[in-house]
Amino acid sequence: MTEAAATGTLEQALAHAARLLERDPVLATEQLDGILQAAPGHPVALQLLATVRSLQGNLPGALELLVPLARAQPDRAAIQFDLGQALARCGRGEEAIAALRRAVALQPGLPQAWRVLGDCLMAAGEQAAADVAYASHVRHSTRDPQLMAAAVALVENRIPEAERMLRARLKQAPTDVAAIRMFAEVAARLGRNEDALHLLERCLELAPGFGEARRNYALLLHRSNRPEQALAEIERLLAADPGDAGCRNLKAAVLCRVGDYEPAIRIYAELAESYPDTPKLWVSYGHALKTAGHLERAIAAYRRSLELKPSFGEVWWSLANLKTFRFGADELDAMRRQLARADLAEDDRLHLAFAVGKALEDAGEYEPSFRHYAQGNAIRRAKLDYSADDTSARVRCIRERYTPDFFAARAGAGHPAPDPIFVVGLPRAGSTLIEQILSSHSQVEGTMELPEIISITRLLRQQGDADDAMPYHAALAALDADALRALGERYLAHTRIQRKTAAPLFIDKMPNNFMHIGLIHLMLPNAKIIDARRHPLACGFSAFKQHFARGQEFSYDLADVGRYYRDYVALMAHFDAVLPGRVHRVVYERMVDDTAGEVRRLLDYCGLPFEDACLRFFQNPRPVRTASSEQVRQPIYREGVDHWRHYMAWLEPLASTLGPVLASYPEAPEGEWQFDN
């Protein structure tokens, strides 16, 4: 037989085996075994045999073939794709992502490889990268030149261009669901979440089975603080595909958002068993365990993540952020080795800088500790567009608008429910301690730093005049009594999912709500407002050495911290003057020195009878969702009150910016000091 004839016969045999794959895998296996006897190591035959094994559920057997085959044929995109799919099905997420990325790098026009890559990235919590992969899937799965061009612009982050093309497309074809979904992605990237949600709703009206659109919708509902709706959409997706790891991961995240930690922990545990080599999954699992009070399990989850990715700065910081955790000398050396790497990602570097700062602080090495804190803060500050002048302008505007006459004209407005207790102030000022004390009372439930007030301010901002310097406050001033009551009803309805007990009162401890006391008073006039205040150098430095997961953009520069503290004191002094007695202040140092007396005064303000459990707050097993979670599970101790003094030599920028506020603490200074910035 000639070589050409033999080759033709082999190709025919391979084609026949390929046709048998799904119809008769046993016969396909026999055919492929025969081919491999005649042509040992033939790559196409091995690839097809691996496919047969995958179809039969023999994933280890498939990988036994695909791993060496991919190593021997590194430039074959189809082999890398098959390897990625098999790894994903085996729960080896990081390896699957690497293989799939190699596949699409070798052959970008593989739409299903992009889709599977998106699924793997979603399961790993890499949402931004997943969005890009899904957009690439659209780009390469359509032959429509308009959609292809729009998808390319979206993948390359040329948002205005993508928006223009998609508008034109939808003008021509208003029911094109692929274009609607892509347009929703454009709106979401531009921060127009409401527009994005409406677009996705329309998309799902037209195509209820469009899974990627429903997944986007669920995620956007979660980001828009609509957890109940998000869970409903996730359940629809899981009904269609119970094993969808990305949806299960998202469900766990939403459950954590609403305080249902134990079911979330069960999901994370199952995912970690199925995807044991996914570092980000172990971090999410650790966060949930930590918040629910399972400290040792949380530490084990964090350490497992570090075994997989020793450079993972967020995990090192998560361990440091336990506050009661102490690094060993070997762990400090490991962090320093990572920091010394020239190729370390910037996000890992800043997290490691904060973590090393904490480790050195615990060791009493304050000067190098401060240097590392300063390094982490400098990296973070360079990424931000924060302006202390803008914050001061906001405070000035609030003080000018919210006068005694303003409130008198709206007396009696709002919803009469007394349910919420708002704990406000600066972060790291003792608000978690206050929450823990109050939530130990039988009539009070602790929740978390609820985002609903911020959501309402965004709604008002959209209703206001865009040309107004402060559209939210202008829109609020224009509301009548019914509209203010409706806002109160909305707040109560949207926070109801956070309430797990029959307690009549609940706590919202979002500290930044001190900027919104006017709104709170108008829409919920019977709600309680507690101001947590701590010494400005103690509070300011504690914020500076804390890397916050989000928000608190003022905290990454000592002078900015000083300005922010001054503005806070000025604003609280204003509301003390225009709404006398409305806000109850808890000074942290007084709480430490006279806990029983301060607790009784706090309960009196809230209209609650004294209960001994409030003095045994550290025995309260409730989940605590802040950086102080482990500290408030211990009795009050004085050591932390003056700890900042170890760093006094480096706090001059903070002290000098505080000005008279420092000398007058805990009271506000007299006069017009607050305008002298």
Side-chain angles (χ1 to χ4, degrees):
M1 181 182 296
T2 66
E3 184 178 342
T7 301
T9 302
L10 181 59
E11 288 176 353
Q12 290 172 355
L14 288 167
H16 180 59
R19 288 193 294 271
L20 290 171
L21 281 180
E22 295 192 29
R23 179 164 52 87
D24 193 339
V26 174
L27 189 56
T29 301
E30 292 175 1
Q31 177 89 8
L32 290 166
D33 284 342
I35 292 171
L36 288 167
Q37 285 179 9
H42 193 286
V44 176
L46 289 171
Q47 186 181 358
L48 287 171
L49 185 57
T51 302
V52 174
R53 290 181 180 181
S54 291
L55 290 170
Q56 293 175 320
N58 181 10
L59 292 171
L63 288 174
E64 184 181 8
L65 297 172
L66 287 169
V67 170
L69 184 58
R71 194 178 299 122
Q73 302 275 329
D75 297 330
R76 293 281 297 276
I79 293 173
Q80 298 294 336
F81 178 29
D82 286 356
L83 175 61
Q85 289 190 99
L87 287 166
R89 290 179 62 194
C90 285
R92 293 161 64 175
E94 289 291 304
E95 294 172 86
I97 289 169
L100 291 163
R101 281 181 164 151
R102 284 195 296 271
V104 296
L106 290 165
Q107 188 176 337
L110 286 174
Q112 297 312 313
W114 284 111
R115 180 186 59 77
V116 177
L117 176 58
D119 292 345
C120 290
L121 290 166
M122 183 83 171
E126 300 274 5
Q127 183 55 49
D131 288 346
V132 171
Y134 287 135
S136 297
H137 167 63
V138 172
R139 170 187 175 185
H140 293 292
S141 60
T142 180
R143 296 183 180 181
D144 185 290
Q146 281 184 307
L147 282 186
M148 287 178 66
V152 170
L154 196 56
V155 169
E156 295 177 355
N157 208 33
R158 293 182 279 115
I159 302 303
E161 190 175 342
E163 182 176 20
R164 176 180 54 76
M165 288 188 284
L166 289 166
R167 281 189 187 281
R169 173 68 177 190
L170 289 170
K171 189 174 182 179
Q172 295 171 349
T175 58
D176 186 329
V177 291
I180 295 172
R181 176 187 167 278
M182 290 167 67
F183 200 30
E185 172 69 15
V186 168
R189 291 201 200 179
L190 291 171
R192 302 199 303 255
N193 283 3
E194 288 299 318
D195 291 344
L197 287 169
H198 292 319
L199 285 163
L200 289 168
E201 286 162 7
R202 174 59 176 157
C203 188
L204 292 168
E205 283 176 14
L206 294 166
F210 194 170
E212 288 174 14
R214 193 170 299 281
R215 189 194 299 260
N216 291 157
Y217 186 46
L219 180 65
L220 199 55
L221 287 167
H222 172 50
R223 290 176 176 172
S224 300
N225 188 32
R226 302 185 191 180
E228 287 179 286
Q229 292 170 266
L231 285 170
E233 297 302 324
I234 292 166
E235 292 301 342
R236 290 189 65 170
L237 287 162
L238 289 174
D241 183 4
D244 187 324
C247 282
R248 291 162 68 203
N249 196 335
L250 181 57
K251 181 178 179 179
V254 178
L255 289 171
C256 287
R257 169 73 69 87
V258 299
D260 289 335
Y261 282 93
E262 294 305 327
I265 286 169
R266 287 194 291 273
I267 294 173
Y268 282 134
E270 292 166 1
L271 288 170
E273 186 174 351
S274 299
Y275 297 87
D277 67 341
T278 307
K280 278 206 168 186
L281 177 58
W282 285 101
V283 178
S284 299
Y285 187 20
H287 290 344
L289 289 165
K290 177 205 75 166
T291 306
H294 305 302
L295 185 58
E296 293 306 315
R297 290 171 65 194
I299 292 171
Y302 290 145
R303 283 183 164 147
R304 172 59 181 153
S305 182
L306 289 173
E307 288 173 11
L308 295 165
K309 187 180 177 183
S311 65
F312 203 161
E314 182 187 343
V315 190
W316 288 111
W317 170 244
S318 296
L319 286 167
N321 204 28
L322 292 173
K323 306 305 181 189
T324 56
F325 177 86
R326 295 294 180 266
F327 288 111
D330 56 339
E331 291 171 314
L332 178 56
D333 288 342
M335 287 191 286
R336 282 173 156 159
R337 284 196 301 274
Q338 294 298 327
L339 266 178
R341 287 174 47 182
D343 63 341
L344 187 66
E346 191 173 52
D347 188 63
D348 290 322
R349 189 173 301 282
L350 81 88
H351 279 100
L352 274 160
F354 278 100
V356 171
K358 176 63 166 58
L360 292 170
E361 177 180 354
D362 292 338
E365 299 182 39
Y366 300 115
E367 190 275 333
S369 165
F370 184 83
R371 278 194 284 108
H372 281 87
Y373 284 140
Q375 178 190 9
N377 276 284
I379 295 171
R380 184 78 174 101
R381 184 66 178 88
K383 296 172 177 283
L384 302 173
D385 190 28
Y386 174 74
S387 167
D389 288 341
D390 288 349
T391 299
S392 296
R394 287 176 62 200
V395 168
R396 189 175 292 110
C397 169
I398 294 168
R399 296 179 68 216
E400 290 170 354
R401 284 180 183 265
Y402 296 88
T403 63
D405 290 343
F406 178 91
F407 287 118
R410 293 160 178 80
H415 195 287
D419 302 26
I421 300 173
F422 292 93
V423 182
V424 305
L426 266 62
R428 311 297 298 148
S431 59
T432 304
L433 175 60
I434 295 169
E435 179 193 39
Q436 190 78 343
I437 290 168
L438 284 174
S439 66
S440 299
H441 196 283
S442 61
Q443 296 184 43
V444 183
E445 180 174 3
T447 58
M448 61 175 285
E449 296 179 357
L450 301 178
E452 184 54 30
I453 292 293
I454 306 301
S455 295
I456 291 173
T457 66
R458 289 198 190 104
L459 178 68
L460 291 169
R461 193 172 296 114
Q462 292 168 0
Q463 295 174 358
D465 184 350
D467 294 330
D468 193 296
M470 300 286 173
Y472 140 49
H473 297 292
L476 179 60
L479 298 182
D480 61 18
D482 288 341
L484 290 171
R485 181 186 178 94
L487 283 183
E489 288 176 349
R490 173 193 162 115
Y491 175 87
L492 294 168
H494 283 213
T495 55
R496 199 167 309 282
I497 193 172
Q498 300 284 350
R499 303 176 71 173
K500 313 299 179 186
T501 72
L505 306 179
F506 72 99
I507 301 167
D508 178 344
K509 67 167 294 288
M510 178 67 79
N512 309 73
N513 282 343
F514 78 85
M515 285 279 191
H516 311 297
I517 287 174
L519 168 64
I520 292 170
H521 177 72
L522 290 174
M523 71 178 191
L524 291 162
N526 295 318
K528 302 300 182 184
I529 306 173
I530 299 163
D531 173 27
R533 184 166 296 184
R534 184 181 176 194
H535 189 283
L537 293 179
C539 183
F541 178 62
S542 187
F544 182 75
K545 67 179 185 173
Q546 176 73 40
H547 182 261
F548 296 95
R550 64 186 66 83
Q552 316 305 354
E553 294 185 349
F554 71 91
S555 67
Y556 299 99
D557 177 273
L558 287 173
D560 285 345
V561 175
R563 286 278 299 277
Y564 197 86
Y565 195 103
R566 284 179 60 161
D567 285 329
Y568 147 74
V569 170
L571 192 55
M572 298 310 297
H574 172 76
F575 283 112
D576 287 344
V578 301
L579 294 171
R582 184 70 178 86
V583 178
H584 176 75
R585 184 158 296 113
V586 175
V587 176
Y588 178 76
E589 293 78 15
R590 292 174 182 167
M591 178 65 79
V592 173
D593 289 339
D594 180 18
T595 304
E598 287 298 318
V599 168
R600 288 182 182 276
R601 283 186 281 275
L602 177 62
L603 294 176
D604 286 346
Y605 166 76
C606 294
L608 294 168
F610 177 77
E611 290 182 1
D612 285 335
C614 294
L615 295 179
R616 298 193 306 275
F617 61 87
F618 46 88
Q619 297 174 349
N620 188 337
R622 58 175 286 270
V624 182
R625 293 181 258 189
T626 68
S628 305
S629 59
E630 295 312 305
Q631 291 167 311
V632 297
R633 291 185 174 118
Q634 304 176 57
I636 287 179
Y637 56 96
R638 248 210 91 76
E639 179 188 352
V641 172
D642 294 321
H643 185 74
W644 60 271
R645 295 185 186 279
H646 294 296
Y647 292 88
M648 189 62 208
W650 306 286
L651 299 185
E652 193 280 331
L654 172 59
S656 62
T657 310
L658 286 164
V661 169
L662 181 56
S664 66
Y665 177 79
E667 308 303 328
E670 299 292 334
E672 292 302 307
W673 58 272
Q674 49 270 59
F675 295 114
D676 180 19
N677 287 317

